[in-house]
Amino acid sequence: MSWLLKAADTAPGSMKVHHATNIALAAMTPAAVFLPKDSSFLKPVDLALGVALPLHGHITMNMVVSDYVPPAARSVARAGLFGLTTVTVLGLLNLNLRGPGLTKCVKQLWADEKPAAAK
């Protein structure tokens, strides 16, 4: 796991993890969209998405850091990115375990329900 702190884009196994999250996201995203809201499979899909999305983004943003951040500032940029990724994973886990879940929150953005008019 030390490759997450150092250079997640150049570590030997990181591209395998990146490609695995690509495939997982390609399968889980449609599943999350089309599963009924009372399905027992929704919670595991939400939990997997809550880990796969930040991990995929972390590795990808490390590639951006390698390409565009000057070498002297890369360690600071990677540390900040690791902190952001950690907060994102913890926030999504909180949403999935204590709240309605990632899928329900995203579906609420397109919900057709209108709020009750104030009397």
Side-chain angles (χ1 to χ4, degrees):
M1 290 304 264
S2 66
W3 59 271
L4 276 174
L5 286 171
K6 294 179 184 172
D9 58 329
T10 58
S14 66
M15 288 312 294
K16 290 181 183 179
V17 173
H18 188 261
H19 293 290
T21 57
N22 267 343
I23 293 167
L25 290 172
M28 288 186 295
T29 303
V33 170
F34 294 114
L35 280 172
K37 59 178 148 183
D38 57 347
S39 173
S40 61
F41 294 111
L42 200 53
K43 188 117 180 143
V45 169
D46 279 350
L47 289 170
L49 282 171
V51 173
L53 284 168
L55 182 60
H56 182 80
H58 179 78
I59 295 170
T60 304
M61 286 307 297
N62 264 287
M63 293 176 195
V64 173
V65 167
S66 292
D67 289 345
Y68 297 107
V69 175
R74 285 186 187 158
S75 60
V76 174
R78 290 186 203 280
L81 178 61
F82 183 75
L84 183 64
T85 302
T86 302
V87 169
T88 304
V89 168
L90 293 175
L92 288 174
L93 283 174
N94 184 35
L95 177 69
N96 288 328
L97 295 175
R98 295 183 179 176
L102 181 61
T103 304
K104 288 182 183 176
C105 282
V106 172
K107 286 182 179 181
Q108 285 177 357
L109 295 173
W110 288 274
D112 205 19
E113 299 174 19
K114 295 181 181 176
K119 293 182 181 179

